Amino acid sequence: MKLQDELPVDHQLGAVYRWGAAFCGVVLLIFGSLGFADALSPFTTDGNTVAGLSSNGALSLISVLVGAALIAGGVIGGNFASGLNMVVGTLFLLSGFVHIFILDRPANILGFGMSNVIFSFVMGLVILTFGMYGRVSSKLSHDNPYWQRRHPREAAQESLARRRQPTPVGTLPAGGTRTALDGRTGTPGRQSTD
């Protein structure tokens, strides 16, 4: 099963993936740019703060690169944005866990503080949620393309059953016209003024 085959191009979930990636990317891009504006040295761990978070030049560079990648994913959209959100969100969560254990050690080359760890967890969960929205749940609706892809037999049966249902008397397809017995035509629900 290929991810790009699961979501129709015009599906409303695509907007969630696109805007979620773009929003998180802009936040990271701003944070990284503020670090560059303060001209932080690359691997300093002396507690320079940017927007309430400890930072250094390396963390600023990583933030700008990841932010740019998320914005690019938002531009591409669709399943690519969803997959990218899930990967980046997972990496943020893993980074939070790793940095809990190396906060006061020489291995903390990104200059993380406890506020950075909390931010990493929160941002990771937000990005991951944007990526998994409408994809991962035990209660996906049956019109969801991911449910249909995972349950092709049931989806085909439901589609066939919908097509076999008779159209109720008196309803017309959208944009249809009604022809009167005397040959006049008109839009359903409107009276002709002949």
Side-chain angles (χ1 to χ4, degrees):
M1 169 168 51
K2 294 180 180 177
L3 286 178
Q4 64 267 25
D5 294 337
E6 290 184 5
L7 185 66
V9 174
D10 61 345
H11 198 276
Q12 61 209 17
L13 288 174
V16 174
Y17 307 144
R18 180 182 300 270
W19 290 107
F23 168 74
C24 295
V26 167
V27 169
L28 292 173
L29 196 61
I30 290 171
F31 173 71
S33 298
L34 290 174
F36 284 134
D38 283 352
L40 301 174
S41 61
F43 296 105
T44 184
T45 57
D46 62 359
N48 293 325
T49 59
V50 173
L53 299 172
S54 179
S55 186
N56 61 23
L59 183 58
S60 296
L61 177 63
I62 291 171
S63 298
V64 166
L65 292 176
V66 172
L70 285 172
I71 291 171
V75 170
I76 295 169
N79 286 310
F80 180 80
S82 173
L84 182 65
N85 285 343
M86 288 194 289
V87 168
V88 171
T90 302
L91 291 175
F92 263 83
L93 292 176
L94 290 174
S95 172
F97 281 116
V98 166
H99 282 93
I100 282 178
F101 296 107
I102 62 171
L103 276 179
D104 295 325
R105 303 219 164 105
N108 185 10
I109 60 172
L110 296 179
F112 261 56
M114 194 56 173
S115 59
N116 295 71
V117 171
I118 293 169
F119 176 80
S120 189
F121 283 135
V122 170
M123 186 59 100
L125 288 173
V126 168
I127 297 171
L128 198 57
T129 300
F130 277 125
M132 297 172 77
Y133 183 80
R135 288 185 79 159
V136 181
S137 174
S138 61
K139 306 245 187 236
L140 293 176
S141 65
H142 290 204
D143 65 341
N144 184 300
Y146 296 107
W147 182 89
Q148 292 172 355
R149 183 73 176 187
R150 293 177 192 137
H151 304 91
R153 181 172 293 161
E154 293 92 338
Q157 290 171 349
E158 288 180 8
S159 176
L160 183 62
R162 278 192 302 272
R163 279 188 260 136
R164 286 186 177 168
Q165 287 179 347
T167 306
V169 177
T171 61
L172 290 174
T177 58
R178 180 180 301 169
T179 303
L181 292 177
D182 61 1
R184 291 180 296 167
T185 61
T187 305
R190 287 193 185 159
Q191 295 290 333
S192 178
T193 57
D194 290 338

